[in-house]
Amino acid sequence: MPKLRKLFLLSFVILLTLACQTITQGLRFSNPATPTPLRVVEVNSSVQLEIFEELWQIVNEEYLYPDFNGVDWKAVGDEYRTLVQAGLTSDEFYRAMNEMLFRLGDDHSVFLSPAEVAKERAELAGNLDYVGIGIFSQATLANDAMVLLLVFPGSPAEEAGLKDHDRILAVDGLPIIDENGLIREVIRGPEGTDVTLTVQTPGEAPREVTITRRRISGSIPVPFQVITTPRGKRIGYLLIVTFSDGTIARQVGAALQEMAREAPLDGLIVDNRINEGGVDTMLRETLAYFIDGPAGYFISRTEERPLTIRGQNIAGSQTMPLVVMVGLDTVSYGEVFAGVLKDVGRAYLIGETTDGNVETLWGYDFNDGSRAWIAHDSFRPLNQLDQDWEETGIVPDLEIPVNWEDVTFETDPAIQAAVEYLDTH
């Protein structure tokens, strides 16, 4: 049997290859462009069949939903067993295993090739390493452009004047979205080469910007700043786009300290609207700045495990007034983070109701270096045991819909509402 990675629970996987884009919901890429080609080591048919049988049995015994979401799992197994026995290349096999898990319809369970596992490990360690311009982005809601969710500090993109919320309309004269509705894989390229982007800041005319590509390495940043309210209060703001980078909690702690260096904060806004989720450790360690004690329960087929947080006070973080912002792109542990803080009465939520995707994945490693992430647990809040966040999503206290690409930080009505709330409470 493959090794069960009990010490590393994942709620959402950021895949760094475009191959899985069509079968996994909510993916984002750090500069979604040409990825480094994945080296595929051929796995012979007998090893493929062994991995398939192990994978099918894991799902059969461990999968969160005993009815397999209404899927005839035995029939699916028979179909893919025949496919594997007929002969597949390694690349075809890994794709087939991913497609088999996709049949479960939970938008979470996924199969990674050995090369994808290596990339995942690098990101989880905070070791991004690629040649590009330093952005975190996704297609716009209208699917006619690419919107910048995060511009890396000190990156070529920042030096060229690009900012969060900007839209990239074209690359080297070609629309950034191709005829198939996919982001063109052309922003990354050889180090030292130029790329010309057509960029539009909300409320402004498009402009052309030429940027020289260079190596981007390190962690996904946590931007922060201090806002002074009309009443003179000092309100901290920080943006969390993921819990998948193993440095996120440490960065949040450092941001809290830095924002309170000159004077204590009177409140904090955590912008969680584009948080795609990530690893259990980052959820726990980030929650620990704001709460201490029981926080809810992880529920599997056979057991219930409590989520208990050991609090850590950073610059008054345990008691300062807190607003957490949520939206349609708040996923998995991003949802659990916001939901827990609301449930225990620690935070006021502003934004849009999330979609509801709070399963926890357990990782299973196979002998060839591949890995399956399987939905194993769901989450039940501490104080509202009858709530099913998978069904309802996380409902904010104040509903304010915002399209990320239509606003800037200064014009964002949800941020304005959060500042006003903290200024008057």
Side-chain angles (χ1 to χ4, degrees):
M1 284 289 290
K3 181 182 178 183
L4 170 62
R5 296 174 58 84
K6 285 188 176 179
L7 299 180
F8 187 63
L9 304 182
L10 192 73
S11 75
F12 198 74
V13 183
I14 301 179
L15 302 183
L16 296 182
T17 61
L18 296 175
C20 300
Q21 184 175 8
T22 59
I23 61 173
T24 308
Q25 200 176 66
L27 296 185
R28 299 195 186 88
F29 305 90
S30 303
N31 192 355
T34 306
T36 302
L38 301 180
R39 178 173 176 264
V40 177
V41 178
E42 289 301 317
V43 180
N44 65 45
S45 57
S46 62
V47 173
Q48 289 182 12
L49 189 59
E50 178 184 348
I51 293 170
F52 159 77
E53 296 290 357
E54 290 178 345
L55 176 61
W56 185 89
Q57 194 63 36
I58 287 167
V59 174
N60 195 53
E61 296 177 356
E62 302 284 344
Y63 187 58
L64 172 62
Y65 305 108
D67 66 346
F68 307 101
N69 284 326
V71 172
D72 185 339
W73 186 239
K74 183 179 183 305
V76 170
D78 292 342
E79 175 186 345
Y80 279 88
R81 183 179 295 104
T82 299
L83 185 64
V84 172
Q85 291 173 335
L88 298 172
T89 66
S90 292
D91 185 58
E92 290 170 340
F93 170 71
Y94 295 133
R95 289 177 182 271
M97 294 302 93
N98 207 2
E99 291 168 0
M100 183 173 76
L101 294 184
F102 180 64
R103 293 282 190 92
L104 293 168
D106 61 44
D107 296 324
H108 254 168
S109 300
V110 67
F111 190 90
L112 305 182
S113 71
E116 290 167 339
V117 171
K119 285 182 175 291
E120 178 189 70
R121 285 173 175 161
E123 181 162 348
L124 293 170
N127 294 328
L128 290 177
D129 186 19
Y130 65 94
V131 175
I133 65 173
I135 58 176
F136 201 66
S137 56
Q138 68 177 14
T140 60
L141 289 175
N143 205 32
D144 60 352
M146 185 175 77
V147 61
L148 305 189
L149 305 176
L150 178 64
V151 175
F152 286 27
S155 67
E158 184 187 56
E159 293 168 1
L162 272 62
K163 296 181 179 180
D164 302 355
H165 303 276
D166 283 353
R167 294 192 305 154
I168 296 179
L169 308 177
V171 180
D172 292 331
L174 294 174
I176 186 64
I177 304 297
D178 67 18
E179 60 277 4
N180 297 314
L182 300 176
I183 295 173
R184 292 187 190 275
E185 303 176 18
V186 291
I187 294 183
R188 290 190 189 182
E191 191 167 6
T193 59
D194 291 343
V195 59
T196 299
L197 309 177
T198 303
V199 180
Q200 185 174 26
T201 297
E204 298 181 8
R207 65 188 188 277
E208 283 199 350
V209 179
T210 298
I211 305 176
T212 301
R213 302 176 177 99
R214 67 170 183 254
R215 184 160 296 281
I216 306 297
S217 59
S219 306
I220 296 173
V222 177
F224 63 92
Q225 61 181 285
V226 176
I227 302 167
T228 302
T229 72
R231 289 178 171 82
K233 289 187 176 181
R234 301 182 76 253
I235 305 300
Y237 168 91
L238 58 84
L239 172 66
I240 300 177
V241 301
T242 184
F243 283 138
S244 71
D245 185 309
T247 70
I248 292 297
R250 185 167 67 249
Q251 290 189 67
V252 170
L256 290 169
Q257 287 181 321
E258 182 61 29
M259 288 187 290
R261 185 177 300 278
E262 293 184 5
L265 294 177
D266 298 304
L268 178 69
I269 301 167
V270 179
D271 195 338
N272 196 51
R273 289 175 294 177
I274 54 176
N275 186 343
E276 66 200 351
V279 295
D280 173 80
T281 51
M282 290 302 97
L283 169 69
R284 292 172 183 267
E285 291 176 18
T286 307
L287 279 173
Y289 296 128
F290 309 112
I291 62 173
D292 180 39
Y297 307 90
F298 293 108
I299 309 296
S300 71
R301 277 198 205 179
T302 58
E303 64 177 345
E304 174 180 296
R305 295 178 295 106
L307 171 62
T308 303
I309 303 300
R310 185 176 180 180
Q312 180 183 8
N313 187 52
I314 300 291
S317 61
Q318 285 288 330
T319 56
M320 70 176 60
L322 183 63
V323 169
V324 176
M325 303 170 68
V326 293
L328 299 179
D329 290 325
T330 307
V331 182
S332 290
Y333 278 170
E335 294 178 89
V336 173
F337 174 78
V340 164
L341 291 174
K342 178 184 177 181
D343 179 62
V344 300
R346 186 64 188 85
Y348 185 78
L349 268 55
I350 293 177
E352 295 180 81
T353 301
T354 67
D355 279 342
N357 203 345
V358 297
E359 295 123 345
T360 292
L361 306 184
W362 283 26
Y364 301 82
D365 289 345
F366 299 89
N367 291 334
D368 65 331
S370 61
R371 175 179 295 160
W373 289 106
I374 306 298
H376 189 276
D377 299 338
S378 189
F379 189 82
R380 190 173 70 197
L382 179 69
N383 295 315
Q384 301 178 46
L385 301 180
D386 58 335
Q387 282 197 1
D388 183 351
W389 290 349
E390 192 72 24
E391 292 294 327
T392 66
I394 307 301
V395 181
D397 298 291
L398 177 60
E399 189 88 17
I400 300 183
V402 177
N403 291 335
W404 187 266
E405 61 266 30
D406 293 337
V407 300
T408 63
F409 180 87
E410 293 74 18
T411 63
D412 189 327
I415 292 177
Q416 293 171 356
V419 171
E420 180 180 359
Y421 176 85
L422 292 171
D423 196 27
T424 56
H425 286 75

